[in-house]
Structure formats: C-alpha cells, structure tokens
Amino acid sequence: MARIAVVGAGLAGLACAQSLRDAGNVVRGFEKSRGAGGRMATRRTDHGTYDHGAQYFTVRAPAFRAAVERWLAHGVIAPYAGRIVNLQDGVTSTLSHPGQRYVATPAMPAVCRALAADMDIDFECQITAVTPGEQGWRLSWEEGGESGFDAVVLAIPAAQALPLCTAVPELAAQVSQGGHAPCWAAMVRYEAPLPLEFDAAFVADSMIGWVMRDGSRPGRAAGERWVLHANAEWSKAHLEDGAETVAPLLIEAFHAAAGIRAEPVESRAHRWRFALSGGLNAGSFWDAGRRIGVCGDWCADGRIEGAYLSGTGLAARLISTI
Ligand SMILES: Cc1cc2nc3c(=O)[nH]c(=O)nc-3n(C[C@H](O)[C@H](O)[C@H](O)COP(=O)(O)OP(=O)(O)OC[C@H]3O[C@@H](n4cnc5c(N)ncnc54)[C@H](O)[C@@H]3O)c2cc1C
C-alpha cells in the first residue's frame, strides 16, 4: 500500500485517483478550485446554468466506452440529441460525421463530482511546490505543506505542471512539450427563443468557432441561454482584453454568423487560458525511479476521452511499479 498525492481534480486526476485507491493505495487529492470538474465546468445563474468549458464528449476507445456505460447507468451523463450543424455566413449545412455526443447531467461537472464523492480531496488548496525529501515527496501550499508521499501525480495542464516538476529535469523536459491554446467563452441569455433551426454549430469564417444553446442539453433549465466559444487564434490575440470588452464582440460575431438580429438580456465572458490542446498522444509520463508522474488531456488526445484514458493509464503504470 502506497501513500499517493494527486494534484488536480479534473477528470484525469479523479480517474487516476480512483484507480489507485481501488488498487488499495491511500490517495489524497489536492485541488485549487472549490469543487471538482476542472474544464468540465458550469456557471450557475438565477436563470439556469451555462456549461462554459467543455460542452460534450465523444467515445472511441473500448476502455472509455466501458466508463461511459457506467456513467449512463448512474444517470450522470446522457446522449445529446440536439441538432448540430455547420454554420457559415448565415447558411447552415449538415455535419458530414455527426457521431454520438454525450453531455454530463445536470451540468458538466457531474461526472467528476460523482468520482470525487468518496475521495479524500483538499479543495481550495493550490500546490505551489513538489520537492523530494528523505521521507518521500513533500507538497507545499500557501499556508503549509505535507511530507511523506511515496508517489506524486500531477493531473494538471502542462504550463501549470512545469514549475512543479523541476526536481526531475527529464520529466520537466517532457512536460515542456505540452501546451494548450486559450479560449474566450461568452454566456448569453435572450428573453425569447432565437429564430434558429439549430441547437449548436461549428462556425466557419468567423472569430467564433462554436455555439450551443445550453437549454438544448438534457436536464437543463428552460430558457434561451447560449454559450459562444471564440476560436483559438482570436482568443490568443485578445487574451489580455477585459471580459466586458470581449462579450459584446463575441455576441456580434454570433449574430453575424447566424444572420440574426437580437438583443441579449444578460451576458458575461470567461477567459480560459488553458483550453484545448492538440495532445502529445503519449498517454502519460511516469518516472518510475523518482515515483512522480504527469497525466491530463494534453498528454493524450486533448479531449475528455483522452483525459480519462491518460489518468487511468498512469494509474496502471504506478500500480505495476510501486
Ligand atoms: C472552452 C473549452 C471547450 C472544450 N470543448 C471540449 C469538447 O467539446 N470536447 C472535449 O472532449 N473536450 C473539450 N474541452 C477539453 C476538456 O475540457 C478537457 O480535455 C478535460 O476536461 C481535461 O481534463 P483534465 O483533468 O486533463 O484537466 P482539467 O479539467 O484542466 O483539470 C485540472 C485541474 O487541476 C487544477 N489545478 C491546476 N493547477 C493546480 C495546482 N497547482 N494545485 C491544485 N490544483 C490545480 C485545476 O483547477 C483543475 O481543476 C474543452 C475545454 C474548454 C476549456
């Protein structure tokens, strides 16, 4: 039985932590936010929720399919049945590869919250240093720290993992290969339904890359709430702009792309500094000698499926070597 610290309570960290715990290890999680979910996030308002990070996921690998079947049985996800189109200059076209998409219910963090429910996790605890000592690894945070961990897992974006793995230069070199593009997201509410024949769209020739009617997702409150995602290029160019400047620009671009005129009654923007990664397709990184590893979407395919497989894959490597 080993004592293992897992930093990050997004899907990768929780999938890893659960596998490690189920194998008989003592696992302690650390998460800087107030709750589990990471980029599978939601924003609550008086008029319903907005899933302003990841909006859905797809399934390819059999190992992920097995998890998805369990989540379906537990009611924390549901198939998405909304109408998704391609959108360009007010003209829609059918997707060439529609595929089955899933969303978590009643909001995107639901899967992670279910996984975190019986785990030992310190929330609102940002790890600031991971250092080796005579009694195993020491994790430090603003008000203190704890020593004696036999192994450490960093399940966080590459840019955030890099300063935490400087004690292992070979690992730091691998982590420095990873990265994420930013994404500005807008959450917009209208008093009346928009005159659109679709619920979600991949947008071309616009600073907007994706839009989705939040209420078209299973288990959500009624109401005309939309989430708009700017594309990576525009988000990068406007990364340091203020949220109050960005929201109206995203709304204007949405209306132009959809060919509509409308007046929102509520809007806000959120900056994701680390949103989407091309993915290194490496699965995970594990230094068996030093007993420190890294997982997350960016180690795999850059998506929710990759995050899950990266976390469970790293757990399997730990279990076989510690
Ligand atoms: C705008 C947007 C749209 C997306 N769309 C899709 C999509 O349509 N389909 C899809 O499959 N994926 C999508 N994604 C990507 C998807 O959200 C990620 O692949 C997945 O959620 C990554 O999970 P993770 O566990 O690897 O990382 P995260 O979810 O980022 O989890 C990392 C966690 O670590 C915490 N953390 C970071 N540093 C520290 C620290 N020092 N100490 C303690 N805690 C720390 C963070 O707070 C976070 O909770 C989207 C993401 C965004 C932002």
Side-chain angles (χ1 to χ4, degrees), residues 6 8-19 36-37 112-113 115-116 119 121 155:
V6 176
L11 185 59
L14 290 167
C16 184
Q18 190 187 49
S19 300
C112 292
R113 284 182 186 160
L115 287 170
M119 304 286 307
I121 302 173

Side-chain angles (χ1 to χ4, degrees), residues 109-181:
V111 172
C112 292
R113 284 182 186 160
L115 287 170
D118 58 352
M119 304 286 307
D120 177 14
I121 302 173
D122 285 27
F123 289 103
E124 296 187 272
C125 183
Q126 179 167 356
I127 300 303
T128 52
V130 178
T131 43
E134 284 180 11
Q135 295 172 324
W137 288 101
R138 176 178 172 79
L139 269 62
S140 304
W141 51 90
E142 202 181 333
E143 309 85 23
E146 196 166 314
S147 302
F149 292 103
D150 301 311
V152 176
V153 167
L154 302 174
I156 58 183
Q160 293 169 320
L162 196 54
L164 300 184
C165 57
T166 47
V168 186
E170 306 78 13
L171 186 63
Q174 289 166 319
V175 171
S176 69
Q177 304 298 310
H180 289 87

Side-chain angles (χ1 to χ4, degrees), residues 8 10-12 31-33 38-39 54 56 127 156 296-297 303-304:
L11 185 59
E31 165 58 51
K32 70 181 169 82
S33 311
R39 280 168 279 156
Y56 64 81
I127 300 303
I156 58 183
D297 62 339
R303 294 284 184 272
I304 286 173

Side-chain angles (χ1 to χ4, degrees), residues 24-287:
N25 298 290
V26 176
V27 181
R28 173 119 173 250
F30 297 91
E31 165 58 51
K32 70 181 169 82
S33 311
R34 271 181 297 165
R39 280 168 279 156
M40 295 173 75
T42 201
R43 182 76 64 90
R44 288 180 200 290
T45 73
D46 292 343
H47 299 276
T49 54
Y50 294 89
D51 290 338
H52 58 305
Q55 300 252 287
Y56 64 81
F57 61 89
T58 50
V59 186
R60 295 183 190 87
F64 188 52
R65 162 104 27 224
V68 165
E69 295 297 338
R70 285 197 301 276
W71 298 340
L72 279 168
H74 286 110
V76 290
I77 64 166
Y80 179 66
R83 184 168 176 234
I84 308 178
V85 298
N86 293 310
L87 174 65
Q88 187 170 15
D89 298 329
V91 179
T92 61
S93 60
T94 312
L95 296 188
S96 51
H97 300 289
Q100 179 62 65
R101 291 172 168 81
Y102 297 90
V103 300
T105 54
M108 278 314 268
V111 172
C112 292
R113 284 182 186 160
L115 287 170
D118 58 352
M119 304 286 307
D120 177 14
I121 302 173
D122 285 27
F123 289 103
E124 296 187 272
C125 183
Q126 179 167 356
I127 300 303
T128 52
V130 178
T131 43
E134 284 180 11
Q135 295 172 324
W137 288 101
R138 176 178 172 79
L139 269 62
S140 304
W141 51 90
E142 202 181 333
E143 309 85 23
E146 196 166 314
S147 302
F149 292 103
D150 301 311
V152 176
V153 167
L154 302 174
I156 58 183
Q160 293 169 320
L162 196 54
L164 300 184
C165 57
T166 47
V168 186
E170 306 78 13
L171 186 63
Q174 289 166 319
V175 171
S176 69
Q177 304 298 310
H180 289 87
C183 176
W184 268 109
M187 294 154 263
V188 192
R189 186 170 69 84
Y190 301 86
E191 204 62 67
L194 297 180
L196 298 171
E197 291 172 0
F198 58 84
D199 298 305
F202 293 98
V203 187
D205 285 345
S206 167
M207 60 188 254
I208 299 269
W210 167 259
V211 297
M212 190 179 220
R213 191 197 308 260
D214 207 87
S216 69
R217 302 146 67 72
R220 269 65 176 177
E224 194 69 357
R225 300 181 308 282
W226 284 77
V227 171
L228 323 175
H229 284 162
N231 64 34
E233 196 183 10
W234 192 91
S235 298
K236 200 171 174 187
H238 295 264
L239 190 57
E240 303 307 334
D241 290 3
E244 62 295 338
T245 323
V246 166
L249 296 176
L250 265 64
I251 293 165
E252 194 184 322
F254 170 43
H255 293 174
I260 57 167
R261 283 167 174 271
E263 203 56 56
V265 288
E266 180 184 85
S267 67
R268 66 196 77 193
H270 178 88
R271 178 199 296 114
W272 290 101
R273 280 193 189 275
F274 311 114
L276 286 165
S277 168
L280 296 177
N281 290 314
S284 60
F285 299 104
W286 170 236
D287 186 316

